Amino acid sequence: MPKAKRIIPCLDVDAGKVMKGKSFVDLKVAGEPVKMALKYSEEGADELVFLDITATIEYRKTLVEIVRQVAEVLDIPFTVGGGIRSVEDTYEILRNGADKVSINTMAVEEPAIITRLSKRYGSQCVVIAIDAKRSSIAPSGFEVYTHAARKPTGIDAVNWAKQVEKLGAGEILLTSIDRDGSKQGYDLELTSKIAENINIPVIASGGCGTPEHLYEALTLGEADAVLAASIFHYNEFSIPYVKKYLYEKGLNVRLL
Amino acid sequence: MKFALLDYHASNMFSLIAAFKRLDVETKIVTKEDNFNEYSAIILPGVGNFSSASDITSDCKEKILACVDKGVPLLGICLGLQVLFESSSEGDGKGLEIFEGDVIKFPPHVKVPHIGWNQVFPLMNSVLLKGLENKNWVYFAHSYYPKPRDESIIKGITEYGIKFASVIEREPVFGTQFHPEKSSATGKSILKNFIEYVKR
């Protein structure tokens, strides 16, 4: 039996609060990252990703404090990403208990940072986030974007994925900009193209609306893990429900 | 009861300290210069690279071995398990040589690092895996695994492309290739089993 496919809820943190959709009922609980993290962990999430969507200097301290509080109580792995622009930031986050940091723009601007980080802390804690968009100029058909998906780089997504693997990345968090927020399903062509060209795990992100989308990404998309936000946040589908669904479809998932 | 956690500088020990704290065990980070005698157990934590860990453990090898000879329980986690062996293909440097055998990389046909949840299948009379036959999902993050010469010390097996030793035991020395501190309820039970052993 191979290792399990991972289900990873993503929590957007803004100014120290987890941001949730307006239809989420219990706003008080939703506001507290630590409680949210524990809730997902108890329901069987395999990992968590915290994405800092403020990324302003005064809230950096808040983020580190949240990382520390989460690490004190959470006994599953978690990744912190979003707006990390210096090596010092990554050290600070890892020292305070995060298992992995996810970097994007900084890696594109200075790829040598990937090697520095993986030499120091091990490749298992270096997640490279790739935001990709369909494009006619890229040979693979997908171009890398940085600066929260606003800035095209002209870099081919498949080539970049291969390069970050060589530089020492441990995993790739791959987001389809075209599908993000659409709930139309993951971009399976993007995910499988990247997965087939590298030998490190790929986490698919962007576009999940149903448990079937998760199944597609983990099979046709060849992803090792799936990241989803809204289907869990809006309580549309619970983690135990989707895990049972995937298990019954024959996938190897960790059941509690 | 207080456990010593050996510091390799680069490694992140926050989660491990927190995990023991949740189980009411106090820990202290010790460096190679410190005295190890006053602790009920020694923990070799799990993040970093074999050569840099080996630099540290080599410098305090005699001290660690003296504790083990006296029966002080030792738990190596991930890289901390690997340094209990002789050498690693990850890099230069010698391990503590408590166990015979080397640490080698996964074959090229599987994705490395082996990151994520996998199952550990307990063998007979495992101290750490006691009572966990049906709750065996644990969290891994590694590219190398130990290949003990004496197979009788293997107490747990995991399959990832090949079958490898994920739990090693020869009292009072224990090791897990996975991270119990990141393995939810199952990991908690494994740490509890270790604590029970220390209290015995």
Side-chain angles (χ1 to χ4, degrees), chain A residues 10-62:
Chain A
C10 177
L11 296 99
D12 287 346
V13 180
D14 185 10
K17 298 256 191 293
V18 174
M19 299 307 286
K20 306 259 286 177
K22 52 184 179 294
S23 66
F24 191 81
V25 196
D26 193 347
L27 285 171
K28 202 173 158 201
V29 174
E32 295 176 43
V34 177
K35 280 190 184 169
M36 288 288 299
L38 272 180
K39 174 181 171 277
Y40 282 136
S41 159
E42 278 158 15
E43 288 179 354
D46 297 307
E47 253 178 86
L48 295 177
V49 169
F50 288 87
L51 212 52
D52 184 26
I53 57 171
T54 25
T56 57
I57 292 155
E58 66 259 43
Y59 288 121
R60 277 287 143 188
K61 276 190 195 142
T62 321

Side-chain angles (χ1 to χ4, degrees), chain B residues 4 6 10 27 37 47-48 57 62 66 75 83 92-94 99 103 114 130 133 156 167 173 187-188 199:
Chain B
L6 184 65
T27 48
N37 286 329
V47 180
T57 51
E62 300 311 319
L75 173 63
V83 293
D92 296 336
K94 278 195 162 180
F99 299 130
V103 176
H114 171 219
K130 197 177 151 200
E133 290 73 17
V167 174
V173 183
K188 192 176 178 181
K199 282 183 185 164

Side-chain angles (χ1 to χ4, degrees), chain B residues 125-156:
Chain B
N125 304 322
S126 167
V127 172
L128 296 182
L129 300 175
K130 197 177 151 200
L132 290 170
E133 290 73 17
N134 302 315
K135 291 188 295 173
N136 60 355
W137 286 104
V138 288
Y139 186 80
F140 290 86
H142 63 127
S143 302
Y144 299 81
Y145 65 93
K147 214 168 161 27
R149 210 154 297 144
D150 172 9
E151 293 191 349
S152 72
I153 64 173
I154 302 174
K155 295 293 178 179

Side-chain angles (χ1 to χ4, degrees), chain A residues 205-224:
Chain A
S205 159
C208 181
T210 66
E212 198 180 349
H213 292 152
L214 298 170
Y215 178 76
E216 287 170 357
L218 295 167
T219 51
L220 298 170
E222 302 171 54
D224 299 274

Side-chain angles (χ1 to χ4, degrees), chain A residues 1-4 6 41 45-47 67-69 71-78 94-100 119-125 165 169-171 195 198-202 222 224 252-256, chain B residues 9-15 18-19 21-22 46-49 52 107-119 121 134-135 137-139 141-143 158-161 179-186 188:
Chain A
M1 188 77 90
K3 67 178 173 171
R6 286 170 285 160
S41 159
D46 297 307
E47 253 178 86
V67 169
R68 215 181 161 80
Q69 286 173 13
E72 271 168 11
V73 298
L74 198 69
D75 57 8
I76 60 169
F78 71 101
L94 291 171
R95 265 201 306 272
N96 282 282
D99 299 280
K100 312 174 192 184
K119 281 233 169 90
R120 183 163 172 149
Y121 288 103
S123 64
Q124 81 292 331
C125 72
E165 177 185 16
E171 286 181 284
I198 55 171
N199 201 34
I200 53 175
V202 173
E222 302 171 54
D224 299 274
N252 190 29
V253 291
R254 179 180 70 109
L255 296 177
L256 294 182
Chain B
H9 303 302
S11 74
N12 166 17
M13 296 194 275
F14 192 97
S15 306
K21 200 173 161 191
R22 289 193 292 269
V47 180
N49 146 305
S52 42
H109 68 275
V110 295
K111 290 195 177 193
V112 285
H114 171 219
I115 295 187
W117 296 82
N118 207 333
Q119 286 165 299
F121 295 96
N134 302 315
K135 291 188 295 173
W137 286 104
V138 288
Y139 186 80
H142 63 127
S143 302
T158 295
E159 200 173 333
Y160 186 61
H179 289 269
E181 77 279 17
K182 287 287 157 188
S183 298
S184 203
T186 299
K188 192 176 178 181

